[in-house]
Amino acid sequence: MPATGTIDVGGAVRTTRLPGVTRIDVQNLGAAVPEPLRDPERDPEARKAWIARHNQALLDALESAAAGAGGDFNAFAEWTTMCGGAYDFKDINTRRRERFDGAYRAAITTVFGMDIGTGLAARVQATAFVPDPGVAFQRFAWQPRALYDTEFMALAPAVTVRFAGAKQLFLSGVMDWDRQHQQQHTDDARAQIRNVLERIIASFEEAGGSRQDVLRLRPILPTPDCVALLEQEVAELWADIPPVITLWAGLPMPKGQFAEIQAYGMLGEESATVTQNSATTGAVPVRVARGKPFAMFVAGPFGRADQTPAETAGQVRTCLADHDLSQEDVCTAYVAARDRAAADQFAAADVVPADSLHVIAARPEADLAGAPLRVEITAGKLTA
């Protein structure tokens, strides 16, 4: 991507053709903080000014990526920000509120999941949809009854994208908040985690689907101890077709908060059917939502403690072959790496397109279950 403003935020743009629609995935967006500004105490005013320019450059780059396919800033349905060494929530909230048209907002999740030792200010991955002229298409933000108002953060609790007889639903990170944004069950981790999962299910049901339409969950948990609780609750709530779960555990969260969970799924319109299937490659879960003209696949997490990055890449290759997917079908390969060498070894295997790779250097305390890296794959394929 070209430099925007006064800061080059890098990034790569991946486009995938779906029926009458271009899906755009922006990966690896974010710049390194200049060395003199990495210490918050050294020159706070200069640091604040740089962060503001960086935020502006991030939004410019997103808008430019959408414009490249004929869209605009409102084309984005979901984005995820991993905070690094310099990220100002208030500033970027103000700036994106000014960018969105009318009441529209994207489903946005912001996580403290990146190693600040990389020097990166932040790392953004975002997904947009741009329809061809004349195609029946809707993209709208809405307020599920089970959730809470999020306008103060300039984001939508839920975004639905409708085309080709299917509805794709994106939920920003769901917490166990009441209407006044007060955390619930602060003394009961299991109850809080279950409540968050039930809020997600209720939102899918309100959209006209069911829990089986949830393809992917990305739980953010404060301690590895919460992982077992989450796995137990998911097993009980999704007994038949569980979603793919990409965990981020061991991350900083406010006291009394035990979970924030981002969700994505696909459900059918009344006039068309989307079938849901679950499979595995090795022991790695794969979810497939198959409509009449296209299907969406989510698989992962790939990567075990006893695997090298090259072996993990080989497992991804096997998964793609098992489901008749080519490299060109891959929208995003979401990679959490313990170190740069692991990420480079995975990339060198050339199992996914370079512009589909979104790489995050995980915080040292983040729980990757002993693996050098963890990979989640999203792919889309025309079926008719």
Side-chain angles (χ1 to χ4, degrees):
M1 290 180 64
T4 59
T6 59
I7 296 174
D8 184 353
V9 294
V13 180
R14 175 86 184 148
T15 59
T16 305
R17 284 296 295 169
L18 298 174
V21 171
T22 300
R23 172 174 166 143
I24 304 163
D25 286 279
V26 184
Q27 341 279 7
N28 287 343
L29 202 60
V33 184
E35 189 68 42
L37 302 180
R38 293 184 184 181
D39 180 355
E41 306 299 325
R42 183 171 175 180
D43 190 345
E45 288 304 312
R47 176 181 163 89
K48 182 178 180 180
W50 184 89
I51 291 172
R53 294 198 305 275
H54 182 255
N55 286 342
Q56 185 75 17
L58 289 173
L59 301 184
D60 285 349
L62 290 170
E63 190 160 14
S64 175
D72 57 22
F73 195 72
N74 277 21
F76 286 93
E78 178 187 63
W79 82 60
T80 307
T81 299
M82 286 288 173
C83 298
Y87 193 74
D88 185 329
F89 284 78
K90 184 177 180 180
D91 179 79
I92 201 163
N93 288 355
T94 299
R95 292 173 185 275
R96 68 188 181 211
R97 183 177 286 111
E98 293 169 350
R99 296 271 187 137
F100 285 121
D101 290 340
Y104 183 76
R105 305 286 184 263
I108 300 171
T109 305
T110 304
V111 183
F112 289 91
M114 189 165 63
D115 181 6
I116 62 173
T118 63
L120 287 169
R123 185 69 103 188
V124 176
Q125 192 280 329
T127 300
F129 297 86
V130 178
D132 295 346
V135 169
F137 176 89
Q138 280 188 304
R139 178 183 48 247
F140 56 91
W142 59 286
Q143 177 66 62
R145 290 189 294 270
L147 302 182
Y148 34 78
D149 181 72
T150 57
E151 177 54 28
F152 74 103
M153 295 183 286
L155 60 89
V159 169
T160 294
V161 179
R162 302 172 66 174
F163 62 92
K167 296 186 286 188
Q168 295 183 67
L169 177 56
F170 300 86
L171 301 184
S172 59
V174 176
M175 291 176 279
D176 192 18
W177 280 357
D178 65 14
R179 299 287 181 176
Q180 288 71 48
H181 309 112
Q182 296 299 305
Q183 189 70 251
Q184 304 298 291
H185 301 100
T186 57
D187 59 351
D188 189 336
R190 182 183 294 277
Q192 188 181 116
I193 290 169
R194 187 176 186 89
N195 241 32
V196 171
L197 294 171
E198 288 178 338
R199 289 172 187 265
I200 290 169
I201 291 168
S203 298
F204 271 76
E205 290 174 346
E206 187 176 349
S210 75
R211 67 191 67 201
Q212 306 301 347
D213 298 314
V214 181
L215 300 180
R216 182 200 74 206
L217 296 175
R218 289 181 183 157
I220 302 115
L221 309 173
T223 64
D225 294 345
C226 291
V227 173
L229 298 178
L230 176 105
E231 290 174 343
Q232 291 162 14
E233 294 300 323
V234 168
E236 184 173 336
L237 292 168
W238 280 272
D240 297 328
I241 307 180
V244 167
I245 301 173
T246 305
L247 285 162
W248 290 88
L251 303 190
M253 302 182 88
K255 183 178 179 181
Q257 182 175 332
F258 303 109
E260 177 179 354
I261 305 178
Q262 185 191 66
Y264 161 68
M266 180 166 140
L267 45 148
E269 298 276 18
E270 292 180 5
S271 59
T273 300
V274 170
T275 59
Q276 301 290 352
N277 296 105
S278 179
T280 58
T281 291
V284 177
V286 182
R287 280 297 310 273
V288 185
R290 192 178 300 277
K292 290 181 178 178
F294 78 109
M296 295 301 300
F297 301 75
V298 182
F302 299 90
R304 300 193 312 261
D306 63 347
Q307 283 182 326
T308 66
E311 289 169 337
T312 297
Q315 196 173 29
V316 171
R317 183 178 286 109
T318 298
C319 178
L320 296 179
D322 285 349
H323 293 277
D324 194 28
L325 295 168
S326 72
Q327 281 197 0
E328 292 307 304
D329 297 321
V330 176
C331 305
T332 298
Y334 207 93
V335 179
R338 183 56 68 201
D339 55 46
R340 179 63 181 268
D344 288 348
Q345 289 170 39
F346 181 83
D350 194 31
V351 68
V352 297
D355 58 8
S356 74
L357 277 169
H358 180 71
V359 180
I360 300 155
R363 295 175 68 101
E365 66 269 36
D367 180 20
L368 299 186
L373 53 73
R374 185 186 60 214
V375 183
E376 172 201 284
I377 299 293
T378 301
K381 183 180 179 65
L382 297 173
T383 58

